[in-house]
Amino acid sequence: MRANFKLQRLFLDTPLSEGTKVPLGKDQAHYLLNVLRMNEGQEVLVFNGREGEYLAALAPSGKKAADLLIGEQTRPQPAEARLDFLFAPLKVGRLDYIVQKATEMGARRIIPVFTDHTQLHKVNEARLAANILEAAEQCGNLAIPELGAPVKFDALLESWDPARRIIFCNESQAGDNPTDILNGIEERDLALLVGPEGGFSERERARLTALSHVTAIPLGPRILRADTAAVAALTAVQMTIGDW
């Protein structure tokens, strides 16, 4: 089944099953009762990232409190995504954008990576997690990408499992079209690594290209902003060897 975008979607961090009643937290109750002005019996779609999506009916229990009565399952939980998204943090507005797009485009795990040219040296992990959750609610995803702890570039490579191939966007890679390179990759447990404004340093590119479990791809003839490159690369990977 496809997502029903006519109904409000809500993430609930609780087990879900037909016939159960789930009390809403203060913020979620306020949102449904006072922001959306929903009435008793009106329906929403709920998911927890583990057990699929369910129809649920609102049951107010006061001016500021409400429960949800869980009805039938509308979609089962899909298989776990197989693409990790590794990115150098950008300026705050673009940082929010890039995390939202990675969520919408099916990332399994999202990990900030501090590279030589990264302009930010600290990220607000709570803000990133909130952006991931909001994007999943809005786009119809049933899975919530895991937000990995921020890590330095060298530490990432030193601890990386070589069974999961890393694809990295290399502005100095010969050619314009990544399709042939991507189609030659046999693994399906993958990670996409996107650099910061200014790209990877020469040192970083040399270290990446020396690893047998790393593949470099170009992203066309034009110079792209880092956030644009991230979306372009995610699209290319998902359409050729991903889950689209």
Side-chain angles (χ1 to χ4, degrees):
M1 300 181 184
R2 289 187 176 274
N4 185 338
F5 293 104
K6 294 181 181 180
L7 293 178
Q8 178 70 36
R9 298 183 78 246
L10 202 64
F11 172 79
L12 298 177
D13 190 14
T14 186
L16 297 174
S17 60
E18 186 173 352
T20 58
K21 181 169 68 173
V22 176
L24 288 173
K26 180 180 178 181
D27 291 342
Q28 289 181 318
H30 170 75
Y31 180 66
L32 296 183
L33 294 172
N34 301 314
V35 178
L36 297 184
R37 298 187 178 277
M38 293 180 63
N39 299 313
E40 183 172 3
Q42 285 190 268
E43 294 178 322
V44 296
L45 293 170
V46 296
F47 68 109
N48 61 9
R50 304 182 299 274
E51 297 165 326
E53 180 184 75
Y54 287 80
L55 200 61
L58 182 65
S61 54
K63 291 184 178 180
K64 297 182 179 180
D67 300 321
L68 286 177
L69 305 179
I70 308 301
E72 66 178 356
Q73 187 183 66
T74 55
R75 289 189 291 163
Q77 189 69 23
E80 183 180 57
R82 301 176 70 175
L83 178 65
D84 289 351
F85 179 65
L86 321 173
F87 73 104
L90 309 175
K91 296 176 182 177
V92 174
R94 292 163 65 190
L95 178 60
D96 293 343
Y97 172 85
I98 202 171
V99 168
Q100 291 163 4
K101 298 311 157 189
T103 301
E104 293 173 18
M105 299 180 77
R108 178 188 78 113
R109 187 169 53 153
I110 297 174
I111 304 177
V113 180
F114 296 112
T115 68
D116 289 345
H117 294 163
T118 301
Q119 296 184 15
L120 292 184
H121 301 289
K122 185 178 181 181
V123 295
N124 185 331
E125 294 181 56
R127 181 183 178 118
L128 294 185
N131 272 284
I132 288 172
L133 184 56
E134 182 180 357
E137 287 181 332
Q138 291 181 353
C139 75
N141 280 6
L142 295 185
I144 308 296
E146 173 192 347
L147 177 62
V151 62
K152 292 184 178 180
F153 175 87
D154 292 311
L156 174 80
L157 295 186
E158 288 162 7
S159 63
W160 192 258
D161 179 1
R164 181 173 293 274
R165 177 164 293 278
I166 296 175
I167 300 166
F168 88 99
C169 303
N170 185 5
E171 62 270 21
S172 64
Q173 178 75 12
D176 294 330
N177 191 337
T179 303
D180 288 342
I181 297 174
L182 290 172
N183 281 329
I185 294 175
E186 296 181 355
E187 298 94 337
R188 290 300 178 265
D189 291 323
L190 303 167
L192 175 65
L193 173 61
V194 180
E197 298 96 335
F200 295 104
S201 68
E202 291 296 333
R203 180 191 72 85
E204 290 168 336
R205 281 199 294 270
R207 183 160 188 196
L208 285 166
T209 54
L211 296 172
S212 61
H213 59 276
V214 173
T215 298
I217 61 169
L219 281 179
R222 288 165 286 278
I223 297 175
L224 305 178
R225 286 192 351 175
D227 50 344
T228 307
V231 174
L234 281 163
T235 302
V237 171
Q238 290 290 55
M239 289 191 69
T240 52
I241 55 175
D243 62 7
W244 289 10

